[in-house]
Amino acid sequence: MAALRQLITKCVHTNQLMLSNRISFPQVRYISTTLKQMTERKHIQLTYRDEVAVIKIDSPNSKVNTLSREMFPEFTSALEEVNKNENCRGVVLISGKTSGFIAGADIKMIESCKTQDEIYQLSKMGQKIFFDMESSKKPIVSAIMGPCLGGGLEVALATHYRIAVNDNKTVVGLPEVKLGLLPGSGGTQRLPRLVSVPDALDMALTGKMVKAKKAKSLGLVDMLVEPLGPGVSSPENRTLEYLEDVAVQVTRRLAKDGVKQKKKALMRNLTDKAFEYQFVRNYVFNQVKSKIMGQTKGLYPAPLKILEVVKTGIEKGPEAGYEAEAKGFSELGMTSESKALINLFHGHTSCKKNRFGNPQIEAKNIGVLGAGLMGAGIASVSIDKGYNVILKDMSNAGLTRGFNQIAKTLKAAVKRKRFSQIQADQITSRLSPQLTFDKFDKLDMIIEAVFEDINIKHRVLKEVESITLPHCIFASNTSALPIGDIAKGSSRPEKVIGMHYFSPVEKMELLEIITTDVTSKDTIASAVQVGLKQGKVVIVVKDGPGFYTTRILSVASAELFNLFQEGVEPKEIDRASKAFGFPVGNATLLDEVGIDVASHIAEYLSKALGESASSRAGIPILRDLVKNGYTGRKAGKGVYIYEAGVKGSDRQVNPGFYEIINKYRLDAPASIKNDTETIQWRLASKFINEAVLCLQEGIVASPTEGDIGAVFGLGFPPMKGGPFKFVDLYGAGKIVDRLKSFEQVYGASFKPCDLLADYAKDSSKKFYSS
């Protein structure tokens, strides 16, 4: 959605629709207020500062506040109490936590709904509560510190004035689209009235988070307060107290002078006028819809539904808009795409925790061996998160290239205003590029990113072990070599572990940690801790050929070469795989990975894994491509030709690629028609089968980690939830039927693994309980 903002900002804005005094809501029983609830609230604290009520949201036993079924009755009873209090002139809503305002609605509320009507009623409940807030005759002020997302922003939108702390941690946004949903408690209707329609669409369709200063410029926040430094209490506590003081003062002023409507700028008035014309509105929404379809291929229903609901509110008024929102929310909540994306959210959250506990010694000083693309990337994400890093290479040229890569990354971050130039300089100061092993005796962890050769890795390992501390961990960034084989060269094998990063390290979120039978729990805990601090989502897998991610990718890639041999065009393969939901076509992915890298891995894994990772002529084809210099994007030629200014489907297939493929050309079996569906399932079924086989063999610890690894490391379609969630949603039986149909033609490489076959026999068996 990165280009969406550029598109819609060129379009005209909508005229601001004022909310009518009355909107009819169905009778929704959302609260049962009793005296006990009012006096024994667990999530809400109500206090008075003279004539101003302060409602503090503070969910117990939770790091963040979320809107839950338990909180709603307490929230509404507090609002009823202050509205009935004649001495109360206004209300401040603020978090009792320094961690944030409200992080969103509790997803369990949606997951607990069994029918579309239940989800519809859930939406109507939220709409009713927030409409009552908006209709209050007493001014309600939101005091926002930290994340204010999803349902939290919908709460703030329903208040009359919003104050936010001007720091990097305070962000607002509507991320529901990332869960396959839309904002269901008024967000699709209030946001376009508060900010411009292009800005509202940009936020709702992308789920982007907006910092406080930007929110102020958009008109989403009315006032900013600067954070305070340390004092008697922590900076965070002092800032929260100060924010409350300011909010109380503002509430008193609003109670006295009234809430005044902001004066709109001239350009906003002109565009509002233009938007009164139907053809203008049609042009804007049609352009945005076209952009959505181009980027999502129609595989994600939520963006289209959000666009439809926003348009309904603008053209037909608030009442129709709120009704469309509730219906859209309930429809999306029952889709397989939403269920898959919500499951991924849970998995992502799970893999952001260290299930191995804290290590005995926290790593603070890290050495990175090799300043190439991967080594420099690892060093970059490490210094960025506070680690002191020694980046060692064998040549000045290598160090210079690595340092320039890191400097380029930091420069781009400053340009995006992620941090200041002064902060970038401070980060750079934590990096020590060098040619020697000087100060390696101070390191807690060494991550090697040298060439994929077991002899080189053994030599490096022995070299560093002779000069490092006994607790120092040696981590290999190998993508395929067994960690057990690497550890054979170590005098401390319990301290050897795999840390498989994905390229580009600065952008790819996954870290695959590989353990052997002798890797100590403390070593694993330390590696996971480092990965999490680097900002990665971490999976921990067992050692084996290709581990988890490289293994299943190699098996799928073997089938790619079978398709090439049968004369299927690379562009047709790319179209088919992208239509299935992969962000990058399989043929293009080969060029991105590097054909030389793929050849090296294929040579090894075809021997280690046998028929499943082998193709009829894949290895000879790869050898010939490498021999001719066709190693992919980095060489300018691979499957495709890469020229400046030529992108995507406009790229031409490399004639040299055709010459090599034609040497190994085979006709497709008579029973096989390589149409789009067949191409998709020849690739996807092997991918899924191998993933399940990895679970069967204990390579991957759980379906959750298997799905996270496949989606965040290999680009398995997110709207399908990962291979394991997809089996649950699509049906193991249907997948096994497809595998068996291919097995009859192509042999044992398509044989369903025992675990998948077992699930196919019993439809009640699922990888996930819900």
Side-chain angles (χ1 to χ4, degrees):
M1 292 284 183
L4 185 59
R5 169 71 180 168
Q6 296 176 356
L7 168 72
I8 58 182
T9 49
K10 295 178 182 178
C11 302
V12 293
H13 297 195
T14 182
N15 59 321
Q16 188 175 18
L17 293 172
M18 298 306 296
L19 184 66
S20 60
N21 291 329
R22 295 294 298 171
I23 294 179
S24 61
F25 289 95
Q27 293 298 315
V28 181
R29 188 174 183 271
Y30 63 89
I31 178 172
S32 175
T33 306
T34 66
L35 181 60
K36 183 177 180 180
Q37 285 178 317
M38 294 170 65
T39 57
E40 296 183 9
R41 301 183 183 102
K42 295 180 180 179
H43 299 267
I44 300 294
Q45 301 170 14
L46 174 59
T47 58
Y48 290 91
R49 294 182 57 173
D50 297 328
E51 70 275 24
V52 175
V54 178
I55 297 178
K56 285 188 178 180
I57 306 163
D58 193 358
S59 297
N61 305 317
S62 177
K63 292 182 179 179
V64 297
N65 295 318
T66 56
L67 299 175
S68 63
R69 289 189 185 274
E70 294 76 23
M71 180 189 287
F72 274 126
E74 296 183 17
F75 187 65
T76 51
S77 72
L79 288 172
E80 286 182 355
E81 182 178 331
V82 298
N83 281 326
K84 292 176 180 177
N85 188 337
E86 296 180 356
N87 296 321
C88 176
R89 301 185 61 198
V91 183
V92 171
L93 290 183
I94 192 169
S95 174
K97 305 177 186 293
T98 58
S99 59
F101 184 65
I102 301 174
D106 185 355
I107 298 175
K108 294 178 181 177
M109 287 196 297
I110 300 169
E111 293 180 299
S112 66
C113 295
K114 304 301 181 185
T115 66
Q116 186 171 318
D117 183 64
E118 287 182 60
I119 302 177
Y120 174 84
Q121 294 299 330
L122 187 65
S123 176
K124 281 298 181 182
M125 177 186 74
Q127 288 181 353
K128 176 68 168 63
I129 293 170
F130 298 156
F131 180 73
D132 288 346
M133 285 174 55
E134 189 177 46
S135 303
S136 173
K137 295 180 180 179
K138 299 176 181 180
I140 304 176
V141 174
S142 294
I144 303 167
M145 176 177 169
C148 173
L149 304 172
L153 181 55
E154 289 183 295
V155 170
L157 288 172
T159 61
H160 306 108
Y161 198 89
R162 286 157 292 279
I163 306 172
V165 175
N166 186 24
D167 63 9
N168 289 332
K169 294 182 180 179
T170 299
V171 290
V172 298
L174 295 173
E176 287 87 348
V177 68
K178 296 180 180 181
L179 299 178
L181 300 167
L182 55 76
S185 296
T188 65
Q189 304 306 303
R190 290 190 178 91
L191 188 61
R193 290 188 285 111
L194 192 61
V195 303
S196 70
V197 169
D199 287 326
L201 289 175
D202 187 26
M203 290 181 66
L205 292 173
T206 65
K208 68 188 294 184
M209 294 186 290
V210 177
K211 291 183 180 179
K213 190 173 183 179
K214 178 65 174 178
K216 174 72 162 54
S217 69
L218 293 176
L220 191 53
V221 167
D222 300 288
M223 180 182 179
L224 298 176
V225 299
E226 297 300 322
L228 300 183
V232 176
S233 59
S234 68
E236 293 79 12
N237 286 327
R238 292 189 68 223
T239 300
L240 188 60
E241 291 169 3
Y242 174 57
L243 175 63
E244 181 181 326
D245 291 342
V246 172
V248 169
Q249 292 175 16
V250 169
T251 305
R252 286 175 180 148
R253 174 172 58 80
L254 295 176
K256 179 181 178 183
D257 301 334
V259 180
K260 297 178 182 179
Q261 186 176 357
K262 292 181 181 178
K263 185 178 180 181
K264 292 184 289 185
L266 175 62
M267 183 57 67
R268 179 67 182 273
N269 283 319
L270 291 174
T271 53
D272 285 354
K273 186 66 178 177
F275 218 85
E276 293 177 4
Y277 296 95
Q278 183 71 47
F279 78 91
V280 174
R281 296 195 298 271
N282 288 342
Y283 173 78
V284 172
F285 285 100
N286 287 339
Q287 288 292 307
V288 176
K289 182 177 181 179
S290 176
K291 196 69 177 179
I292 291 171
M293 290 300 296
Q295 294 182 6
T296 69
K297 315 300 179 189
L299 297 171
Y300 293 84
L304 292 172
K305 184 60 69 172
I306 290 170
L307 189 66
E308 175 190 318
V309 169
V310 171
K311 185 179 181 183
T312 298
I314 290 170
E315 295 192 336
K316 298 183 180 180
E319 186 164 352
Y322 281 108
E323 179 63 19
E325 179 184 82
K327 286 184 177 178
F329 184 73
S330 64
E331 291 168 5
L332 292 172
M334 296 301 292
T335 62
S336 62
E337 291 85 359
S338 179
K339 295 179 188 300
L341 291 169
I342 288 175
N343 194 69
L344 268 184
F345 171 80
H346 289 314
H348 188 275
T349 302
S350 173
C351 292
K352 279 287 188 178
K353 299 175 182 178
N354 192 343
R355 58 186 171 93
F356 297 91
N358 294 321
Q360 294 175 8
I361 300 175
E362 181 182 356
K364 295 180 180 179
N365 303 302
I366 295 175
V368 178
L369 301 178
L373 182 67
M374 296 300 292
I378 295 167
S380 181
V381 299
S382 299
I383 60 173
D384 186 13
K385 297 302 189 296
Y387 287 110
N388 300 310
V389 176
I390 295 176
L391 178 62
K392 183 190 178 301
D393 201 84
M394 296 179 65
S395 69
N396 276 317
L399 278 180
T400 300
R401 197 216 66 79
F403 183 83
N404 289 341
Q405 177 183 324
I406 295 169
K408 183 179 179 181
T409 300
L410 289 171
K411 184 178 179 180
V414 172
K415 187 176 181 180
R416 295 195 311 270
K417 298 182 178 180
R418 183 174 160 228
F419 39 67
S420 68
Q421 184 59 54
I422 293 176
Q423 290 172 313
D425 293 340
Q426 291 173 337
I427 291 170
T428 305
S429 70
R430 293 194 279 267
L431 178 68
S432 299
Q434 59 188 54
L435 298 174
T436 69
F437 285 106
D438 184 39
K439 296 183 180 179
F440 264 55
D441 59 345
K442 302 293 192 296
L443 298 179
D444 304 303
M445 177 181 288
I446 294 171
I447 304 173
E448 66 84 5
V450 300
F451 188 69
E452 289 283 79
D453 182 288
I454 191 67
N455 294 319
I456 294 176
K457 293 184 186 294
H458 277 167
R459 187 178 73 245
V460 168
L461 175 55
K462 289 178 180 178
E463 205 167 5
V464 298
E465 278 192 343
S466 67
I467 55 175
T468 53
L469 296 168
H471 76 267
C472 183
I473 293 168
F474 184 88
S476 174
N477 180 50
T478 180
S479 58
L481 295 177
I483 302 302
D485 288 352
I486 296 174
K488 288 177 182 178
S490 171
S491 60
R492 304 192 295 259
E494 74 281 358
K495 290 292 181 182
V496 178
I497 197 166
M499 293 180 73
H500 178 204
Y501 294 84
F502 293 74
S503 182
V505 180
E506 299 89 341
K507 295 181 180 179
M508 294 292 285
E509 195 176 359
L510 185 71
L511 171 62
E512 181 181 31
I513 290 178
I514 306 100
T515 67
T516 70
D517 291 338
V518 298
T519 307
S520 70
K521 182 181 177 182
D522 187 67
T523 297
I524 302 171
S526 185
V528 173
Q529 186 183 70
V530 168
L532 293 176
K533 188 173 178 180
Q534 288 171 333
K536 301 300 180 182
V537 54
V538 179
I539 65 170
V540 179
V541 304
K542 289 290 186 182
D543 192 20
F547 321 132
Y548 174 65
T549 56
T550 302
R551 173 175 167 174
I552 57 179
L553 179 62
S554 296
V555 169
S557 295
E559 194 58 27
L560 173 66
F561 282 94
N562 289 336
L563 289 166
F564 284 155
Q565 268 193 281
E566 292 176 13
V568 181
E569 287 287 332
K571 288 192 175 184
E572 182 57 34
I573 293 172
D574 278 349
R575 279 192 291 269
S577 48
K578 289 175 75 173
F580 190 77
F582 283 93
V584 178
N586 286 57
T588 297
L589 181 62
L590 181 64
D591 277 349
E592 296 287 348
V593 169
I595 292 174
D596 53 338
V597 175
S599 178
H600 180 78
I601 293 173
E603 293 265 9
Y604 166 68
L605 289 184
S606 62
K607 297 174 184 176
L609 297 176
E611 192 168 2
S612 66
S614 303
S615 57
R616 291 185 294 267
I619 290 176
I621 293 170
L622 283 166
R623 287 173 180 165
D624 285 357
L625 289 169
V626 173
K627 182 179 178 181
N628 284 273
Y630 304 147
T631 56
R633 176 190 280 274
K634 59 189 173 187
K637 287 184 179 181
V639 177
Y640 294 102
I641 295 175
Y642 294 86
E643 299 175 312
V646 182
K647 298 181 179 180
S649 59
D650 293 333
R651 294 192 187 100
Q652 298 302 308
V653 178
N654 178 12
F657 170 80
Y658 281 133
E659 290 177 9
I660 292 171
I661 289 296
N662 288 337
K663 289 167 53 180
Y664 302 93
R665 184 79 161 76
L666 291 174
D667 291 332
S671 60
I672 294 294
K673 293 181 180 179
N674 282 317
D675 54 15
T676 296
E677 185 178 7
T678 302
I679 294 169
Q680 290 172 340
W681 280 102
R682 284 180 66 176
L683 294 167
S685 63
K686 291 191 79 169
F687 186 113
I688 295 165
N689 190 48
E690 197 67 24
V692 177
L693 180 58
C694 284
L695 180 66
Q696 176 183 314
E697 295 178 353
I699 297 296
V700 66
S702 67
T704 295
E705 294 200 10
D707 281 342
I708 292 298
V711 172
F712 289 91
L714 304 176
F716 190 88
M719 87 296 294
K720 290 178 168 55
F724 296 96
K725 186 63 177 179
F726 182 60
V727 170
D728 283 354
L729 293 171
Y730 185 78
K734 290 192 286 185
I735 294 174
V736 166
D737 287 344
R738 289 186 180 274
L739 283 165
K740 286 182 175 179
S741 68
F742 291 134
E743 184 185 12
Q744 291 175 359
V745 178
Y746 293 107
S749 66
F750 279 98
K751 182 181 178 181
C753 71
D754 292 342
L755 182 59
L756 188 59
D758 183 50
Y759 276 49
K761 294 174 185 176
D762 185 353
S763 61
S764 67
K765 290 185 176 181
K766 303 289 182 183
F767 289 111
Y768 293 95
S769 58
S770 60

